[in-house]
Amino acid sequence: MAATADRPLSIDLAPTDRIAVIAGGGDLPRELVRGLTAAGRPPFVIVVGGEDRAGLTDGDHTVLELEEYGRLLPVLRAARATHVVMAGSVSRRPRLRAIRFSLGLLKLLPGIVRGLGRGDDALLRVVVSHIEAAGIKVVGSHQILPDILAGPGALTRTRPAAAHQAGIAAGLAAARAIGALDIGQAAVAVGRRVVAVEGVEGTAGMLARVRDLRASGRISMPGGVLVKCAKPGQELRADLPAIGPDTVAQVHEAGLAGIAVEAGRAIVLRQADVIATADRLGLFVVGIDGPAS
Amino acid sequence: MAATADRPLSIDLAPTDRIAVIAGGGDLPRELVRGLTAAGRPPFVIVVGGEDRAGLTDGDHTVLELEEYGRLLPVLRAARATHVVMAGSVSRRPRLRAIRFSLGLLKLLPGIVRGLGRGDDALLRVVVSHIEAAGIKVVGSHQILPDILAGPGALTRTRPAAAHQAGIAAGLAAARAIGALDIGQAAVAVGRRVVAVEGVEGTAGMLARVRDLRASGRISMPGGVLVKCAKPGQELRADLPAIGPDTVAQVHEAGLAGIAVEAGRAIVLRQADVIATADRLGLFVVGIDGPAS
């Protein structure tokens, strides 16, 4: 079966290859399914239980609860998947007491227990190594969809002003510092001051906090910037920092002036919508140089 | 006038010396006023506008809005203050548009503007240098009240278990990393994983977030620890990390197992209440070695 899309994939696939998408929340899994389907490569979709399924269940799919992690490899094998893409956010961790045990899971358990107590990146590395040990290749969304990564420079009509550079630098330093500790990928700076750093609450949660801190007067200066960058040395095939149109709206509600993401290592979802929304709201979105790592 | 207290002060004062307390929110200013009064050294209290005044306005005092910062030195001079203690938290920053300008303020303005856009420590250094340039000595609360700093080891009946050490180390690394960037002084680790890092919201705000993240299932492991430590190289006369009975209650509501603070560089307010509350709830409070800085 040859790819028939007007928007080809970035990855070379053999005719017998089949991609499985492990789909968490957010827009990225939907974009992947749409892109793969349009390219004549409809994927097998594993929807993570508890996340939004819209647009994910039209073709071959199954739903896997976090607590059924032991079924992942059998499901992938049954679907004859040769490649796996992990995409989208998983907003909770499995309830340990609700895990359904199986022989397969017992073998994976030491790695899972090790991963669960650590940061997202450590946990994702465990999942990646489980899948690859089964002879299935793990690839990143950006290795499949062309043009999904942020490029360098301003995407928007509005560009960051000279006055924003110190805030971008401060936010980048904070995001890198917590990234190096596998805590989060984002920070918000107002003026030169970092006012919020991302933890388990995620970027939307952090932006809601900044909005509330501004409303209560704890942040008094106008403007500010959201900075997102990959964790130094992180597993780039899973969990690249991402923004989408919702992020732009949340940044606006938090009273910020724009967004800076690491060029080449951050995903801009629904890029046309991101730009249109930011242009309408007068915000900048800019790709900045990240650290080599 | 000689000190007549049964609980003497740590600082040597000449008979003509007078201490002014710049009082933000929380218990620390009240403890200072009580301690100084009990020692026969009733202070002059400058209550920061918008903060709780209970227990602060019985003696000589004035209320100063943040926007009246230009009045600070004249007020201190009029009160014949020889020493200043800055104590308690200030939960908001001045509304720039509401600042009342004066000749005094105009002279201070460059430093204020520089400080406002940065972290708390940078801002407090500006205030300290303004006060000291006027010939008034700035001292820390711990230089006045004996026994206010956390000592090493467990304060409580419950001690941290061996399993907590990795979380304490992870939380300390995170708190130090953001401290070095003048962002915050605290972090929460569950297992080995840092789930929240303190920004402008403060420790109570961060603990409320952890409580909510647990309720929503984003944090699934039980237990965890709050870690607070001074920022590397910080101005120790103002804004030492502090915990009090409220912190213990908030830690309990967040489902954590205990608190680790940097011994010798963190304040434990109402220590007897902290210990009684923690013992009642089965939490540990422990003083740990911080980094030399």
Side-chain angles (χ1 to χ4, degrees):
Chain A
M1 171 167 52
T4 57
D6 45 352
R7 195 190 182 220
L9 304 176
S10 306
I11 194 172
D12 275 333
L13 294 172
T16 55
D17 284 346
R18 184 158 204 210
I19 293 183
V21 174
I22 302 180
D27 286 324
L28 180 57
R30 271 187 287 281
E31 284 218 11
L32 267 170
V33 172
R34 205 180 301 129
L36 284 162
T37 305
R41 288 289 194 166
F44 180 76
V45 182
I46 299 174
V47 184
V48 176
E51 302 296 341
D52 182 15
R53 301 174 194 189
L56 297 173
T57 54
D58 297 338
D60 287 354
H61 72 279
T62 191
V63 175
L64 198 77
E65 299 296 328
L66 286 178
E67 289 75 13
E68 299 176 299
Y69 181 76
R71 278 184 54 219
L72 178 60
L73 293 182
V75 161
L76 288 172
R77 285 197 198 98
R80 301 184 181 279
T82 55
H83 294 71
V84 162
V85 201
M86 294 156 64
S89 56
V90 174
S91 53
R92 67 178 185 88
R93 297 223 157 180
R95 287 179 295 269
L96 293 180
R97 270 174 230 164
I99 286 179
R100 286 163 225 171
F101 282 93
S102 66
L103 219 66
L105 182 60
L106 283 177
K107 279 199 299 186
L108 304 178
L109 207 59
I112 296 171
V113 169
R114 216 179 317 118
L116 275 179
R118 302 197 179 175
D120 284 342
D121 194 48
L123 185 55
L124 288 168
R125 279 177 201 273
V126 170
V127 177
V128 166
S129 75
H130 284 164
I131 295 171
E132 299 222 308
I136 300 169
K137 199 169 161 54
V138 177
V139 295
S141 315
H142 60 291
Q143 293 169 282
I144 293 182
L145 295 183
D147 306 329
I148 201 175
L149 294 179
L155 273 64
T156 45
R157 262 202 310 270
T158 306
R159 285 155 193 278
H164 293 122
Q165 296 305 332
I168 291 173
L172 184 62
R176 285 184 65 184
I178 54 151
L181 297 169
D182 198 6
I183 298 171
Q185 302 175 312
V188 171
V190 176
R192 295 163 175 274
R193 182 189 193 201
V194 175
V195 296
V197 176
E198 183 188 43
V200 170
E201 76 280 9
T203 304
M206 178 181 63
L207 289 170
R209 179 159 88 247
V210 172
R211 179 198 62 206
D212 294 347
L213 288 165
R214 201 183 281 284
S216 70
R218 292 215 200 175
I219 298 173
S220 62
M221 287 181 84
V225 63
L226 166 69
V227 182
K228 291 195 82 164
C229 68
K231 297 169 183 175
Q234 88 166 54
E235 170 57 75
L236 294 177
R237 289 171 296 177
D239 199 32
L240 272 186
I243 62 165
D246 289 353
T247 318
V248 175
Q250 291 152 5
V251 159
H252 177 68
E253 281 167 28
L256 305 180
I259 302 173
V261 292
E262 193 180 349
R265 280 156 58 96
I267 290 172
V268 181
L269 283 163
R270 296 169 53 200
Q271 199 153 143
D273 284 355
V274 162
I275 295 170
T277 307
D279 278 345
R280 183 168 51 79
L281 297 171
L283 304 180
F284 64 80
V285 178
V286 65
I288 56 172
D289 281 342
S293 71
Chain B
M1 170 169 50
T4 56
D6 46 351
R7 193 188 181 223
L9 303 177
S10 307
I11 194 173
D12 276 332
L13 294 172
T16 54
D17 283 347
R18 183 156 206 211
I19 293 182
V21 174
I22 302 180
D27 285 324
L28 181 57
R30 269 186 289 281
E31 284 218 12
L32 267 170
V33 171
R34 205 180 302 129
L36 284 162
T37 305
R41 288 291 193 164
F44 180 75
V45 182
I46 300 175
V47 184
V48 176
E51 304 295 341
D52 181 16
R53 302 175 192 187
L56 297 173
T57 54
D58 297 339
D60 286 356
H61 71 277
T62 191
V63 175
L64 199 76
E65 298 297 330
L66 287 178
E67 289 76 12
E68 299 176 300
Y69 181 77
R71 277 183 55 219
L72 177 62
L73 292 183
V75 161
L76 288 172
R77 284 198 198 96
R80 299 186 183 280
T82 55
H83 294 70
V84 162
V85 201
M86 293 157 63
S89 56
V90 174
S91 53
R92 66 177 187 89
R93 298 222 157 180
R95 287 180 294 269
L96 293 179
R97 271 174 230 163
I99 287 179
R100 285 163 225 170
F101 283 92
S102 66
L103 219 65
L105 183 60
L106 284 177
K107 277 199 299 183
L108 304 177
L109 207 58
I112 296 170
V113 169
R114 215 179 317 118
L116 274 179
R118 302 195 180 177
D120 284 342
D121 193 50
L123 185 54
L124 288 168
R125 279 176 201 273
V126 170
V127 176
V128 166
S129 77
H130 285 165
I131 295 171
E132 298 224 306
I136 300 169
K137 200 169 161 54
V138 176
V139 295
S141 314
H142 59 292
Q143 293 169 282
I144 293 182
L145 294 184
D147 308 325
I148 201 174
L149 293 180
L155 273 63
T156 44
R157 263 203 310 269
T158 306
R159 286 156 192 278
H164 293 122
Q165 296 306 331
I168 291 174
L172 184 62
R176 285 182 67 184
I178 54 153
L181 297 168
D182 199 5
I183 297 171
Q185 300 175 313
V188 171
V190 176
R192 294 164 175 273
R193 182 188 193 201
V194 175
V195 296
V197 177
E198 183 188 46
V200 169
E201 76 280 10
T203 304
M206 179 181 62
L207 288 170
R209 181 160 86 246
V210 172
R211 181 197 62 206
D212 294 346
L213 288 166
R214 202 184 279 284
S216 71
R218 291 214 200 177
I219 298 173
S220 62
M221 288 182 84
V225 61
L226 166 69
V227 182
K228 292 196 79 163
C229 68
K231 298 171 183 175
Q234 89 165 56
E235 169 57 75
L236 295 177
R237 290 171 295 177
D239 199 30
L240 271 187
I243 62 164
D246 290 352
T247 318
V248 175
Q250 291 152 4
V251 159
H252 177 68
E253 281 167 27
L256 306 180
I259 303 173
V261 292
E262 193 180 350
R265 279 156 58 97
I267 290 173
V268 181
L269 283 164
R270 295 169 54 200
Q271 199 153 146
D273 284 355
V274 163
I275 295 170
T277 307
D279 278 344
R280 182 167 53 78
L281 297 171
L283 304 179
F284 65 80
V285 177
V286 64
I288 56 173
D289 280 343
S293 72

